[in-house]
Amino acid sequence: MKRIRKAVRGFKTQIVLSFIIVSIIPLIGIGIWTYKNTSGIVNDNVKTFTYANLTQTSKTAAVSIEAYHALLYQIFTDENIVALTDKINSGQDLAVSKNQLRRALRGYASAKPDIQSITILTASGEAVFYDMITAATTKNSWLDGFRLSQREIFQQISGTAGTVMYSTQYATTQGNNDYYLFHMANRIIDYKKVKKRNGVVIVSIDERMLNDICNEDTVRMEDGRYQTMNFIADGEGRICSFDDPARCGTKLWGKKDTQDEKVRKAKQFLEAEGYMSGEHLAVQAYYDEKLDFTFVNASNQAATLSQLRQQRTIICLIVILSGAALVIIIHFTVAHLTGSIYRVVATMKNVEEGGLAQRIPDEKRMPTEIELIARQFNHMLSKVEESMDKEREAVVRQKNAEIAALEAQINPHFLYNILDTINWMAIDKDEYEISNTINSLAQILRYGLDKSNSMVEIRREVEWLRQYIFLQQTRLKNTFECQINAEPGILGCRIHKLLFQPFVENAILHGFEGVNRTHILKISIDGDEDRIRIRIQDNGKGMPQEKADRLAAGETAEDQERTHIGVSNAIGRLKMYYEEEAQAEIKSCPGEGTEITLWIPRME
């Protein structure tokens, strides 16, 4: 114990000296260094924060716009919308069709809070709309005053493959409120006749949606000027969202201007229009290539820098006072700390000599750190005792697991024996078709249950597949024909068991459903020096190519059919085994059939 006391006293002396050297002296140096470098650091931090804020604002705007794009997609692919547009173009029940189309647009318009109008322009020149601003059926709030004519709008949108964005423009005044709208548009798509140009859909969105995103943290001073603000300009350099919406449409810069030129011209605009001024005005811009928007932040940093200087002075005073106070309390703190350390070390020594029953006394006066060490040490001793008990229990559980494993091995054999008994019963009754079916089923079960994740030669997989096809043909009363062709040179290669069975099963059980013609299933296996190609073709009902592409990518949408989930899982298993070396291609056409091609690495 004397050695322990001596060691603790030496530790106490070292701690006091270390506190003085490590804490007080660096504390003074840090205060001086902070005083000289705060301005530069703050400037860099403000720029970083501003850029991060602009980036986040861009992401938020992109998410919001994408939500409206998703709604636009629902509209221009809506089969009811397509059918009603075709009727209007043909002049069939014109008044009724326009009313039905207007009711459909009203349902979509209420889906998002900032939608002010949804307009459909038909190829025949008709304009059908639901307008939230005017609530009128004959007068559109924005179309008459738009910078393009109705015909020009139709031609531009219908001639574009993707979505067209029209920048913010004044629309109308209603109830002493000025409305500024930007527009998202797409041509109506009839997937039965993709190239048909029967109409376009235009969703008009209130500019305040973008302004709310940009100017959540806008600060305006008492003199009407801004402390900080954000705004958005489109790809042509025109303002499309501003806290003062009357500025929407103002051209700030050219399309070919650099980022520095954009910042300079934005600063000139804000100063010239009286929104902001001063030598501490900072402007930063971020260009979002996907949206083709430039997000601009402007802030007057004079007040911020003044506050930071005050904070810096306070910090220096705190450093000085803290250093003085630290010298006073070090002695008392260290004395209390070393006393607790002595008690902990003494108990540990007793544990080393006396066994696991020893524990460090729980004293509330201990420093938090030492109390935590004591609790963790006591907890460790308890865990050691528990682990010894668990080790004894583990031996018993291992024996039980071995017994359970033996029982699990017995069950498949029991199943095979029962099937064999039923087989001989069928033979005794001269039921040879039943006997053949039972034999095929027994072989399929034996093949599938024996090391289900192992690799086998393609020869064995093909043999198993023939048995499986035989059972399916028997079950379905030979309602389909199957052709299996495998190159002889491929048969010796090895693949994972039951790799393409889910694709075959899906074709048999679901591909032929509702098809009134001779059902034909073709399976071919060939390849080259590096890869093996497995092709599964059916002349069943097929599916849209878009859905086939999602299946090939391994995607499973929430509304997807349950049968396709099995295909997606099988593709996932393919990727898990062979990673990027495996490929899956699905070609399909509704009413004609489906062709699935799997590429896997060749393994001898």
Side-chain angles (χ1 to χ4, degrees), residues 119-308:
T119 306
I120 290 183
L121 304 180
T122 68
S124 61
E126 295 287 345
V128 182
F129 54 87
Y130 182 78
D131 200 285
M132 302 286 286
I133 299 174
T134 63
T137 60
T138 58
K139 180 175 176 57
N140 190 290
S141 61
W142 65 272
L143 190 59
D144 292 340
F146 197 65
R147 56 181 176 269
L148 299 177
S149 67
Q150 180 175 325
R151 192 61 187 169
E152 288 173 335
I153 296 172
F154 179 86
Q155 291 176 348
Q156 187 178 71
I157 298 172
S158 62
T160 304
T163 298
V164 177
M165 291 279 293
Y166 290 116
S167 187
T168 304
Q169 182 178 326
Y170 170 77
T172 188
T173 299
Q174 189 76 15
N176 295 326
N177 291 323
D178 293 335
Y179 288 88
Y180 293 82
L181 308 178
F182 69 98
H183 313 275
M184 301 174 64
N186 209 100
R187 71 182 182 89
I188 296 174
I189 297 177
D190 185 350
Y191 283 109
K192 297 178 181 179
K193 296 180 181 179
V194 177
K195 295 183 179 181
K196 180 174 65 177
R197 299 183 181 181
N198 58 340
V200 299
V201 179
I202 306 165
V203 176
S204 304
I205 306 167
D206 199 324
E207 177 272 340
R208 286 175 293 186
M209 184 271 287
L210 294 176
N211 189 53
D212 290 342
I213 294 172
C214 288
N215 289 295
E216 182 178 353
D217 300 323
T218 295
V219 177
R220 201 163 186 172
M221 297 183 293
E222 294 180 357
D223 61 359
R225 296 184 179 184
Y226 288 86
Q227 177 69 32
T228 179
M229 69 179 306
N230 294 336
F231 64 89
I232 305 174
D234 62 18
E236 299 293 331
R238 293 185 179 90
I239 294 177
C240 59
S241 179
F242 201 84
D243 196 51
D244 179 5
R247 295 297 181 182
C248 290
T250 302
K251 190 172 180 64
L252 297 182
W253 55 71
K255 191 173 184 179
K256 297 183 179 180
D257 283 352
T258 64
Q259 196 77 345
D260 291 339
E261 291 173 337
K262 292 178 181 179
V263 169
R264 179 179 59 81
K265 291 180 179 180
K267 186 173 182 180
Q268 289 177 348
F269 166 76
L270 293 172
E271 289 181 338
E273 298 298 329
Y275 291 109
M276 306 180 79
S277 63
E279 59 178 340
H280 297 293
L281 174 59
V283 177
Q284 201 166 346
Y286 171 76
Y287 176 66
D288 188 311
E289 185 176 357
K290 183 178 179 181
L291 295 176
D292 196 23
F293 282 174
T294 298
F295 293 80
V296 181
N297 171 270
S299 61
N300 189 335
Q301 298 183 9
T304 302
L305 290 175
S306 176
Q307 293 175 359
L308 289 174

Side-chain angles (χ1 to χ4, degrees), residues 551-596:
L551 285 174
E555 298 178 4
T556 305
E558 294 181 357
D559 59 345
Q560 199 155 324
E561 297 177 11
R562 185 177 179 181
T563 56
H564 291 155
I565 295 176
V567 174
S568 298
N569 289 339
I571 293 176
R573 181 169 171 242
L574 192 74
K575 297 292 186 181
M576 180 182 66
Y577 286 146
Y578 301 106
E579 297 181 349
E580 298 303 322
E581 295 184 83
Q583 294 181 2
E585 301 173 359
I586 302 178
K587 297 179 181 179
S588 187
C589 181
E592 296 183 10
T594 302
E595 177 183 305
I596 299 176

Side-chain angles (χ1 to χ4, degrees), residues 81-105:
I81 299 290
V82 174
L84 290 173
T85 304
D86 288 339
K87 283 186 177 181
I88 293 172
N89 285 329
S90 64
Q92 180 180 355
D93 297 329
L94 188 59
V96 174
S97 298
K98 291 173 71 173
N99 285 333
Q100 290 176 344
L101 185 55
R102 191 174 294 110
R103 283 197 297 270
L105 296 180

Side-chain angles (χ1 to χ4, degrees), residues 37-48 301 304-305 308:
N37 294 278
T38 298
S39 297
I41 294 173
V42 167
N43 187 49
D44 292 340
N45 288 341
V46 168
K47 287 183 178 180
T48 302
Q301 298 183 9
T304 302
L305 290 175
L308 289 174

Side-chain angles (χ1 to χ4, degrees), residues 480 505-521 537-545 547-548 551 561-564 567 586-595:
F480 71 94
E505 180 180 21
N506 189 69
I508 295 172
L509 299 183
H510 307 290
F512 297 135
E513 184 178 1
V515 177
N516 297 321
R517 59 171 174 267
T518 303
H519 301 162
I520 300 175
L521 176 65
Q537 299 171 274
D538 68 72
N539 64 342
K541 62 182 181 182
M543 70 184 81
Q545 186 59 42
K547 180 181 289 187
L551 285 174
E561 297 177 11
R562 185 177 179 181
T563 56
H564 291 155
V567 174
I586 302 178
K587 297 179 181 179
S588 187
C589 181
E592 296 183 10
T594 302
E595 177 183 305

Side-chain angles (χ1 to χ4, degrees), residues 19 23-24 27 321-331:
F19 263 86
S23 300
I24 298 176
L27 204 60
L321 294 175
S322 297
L326 194 60
V327 172
I328 297 173
I329 65 175
I330 280 176
H331 175 75

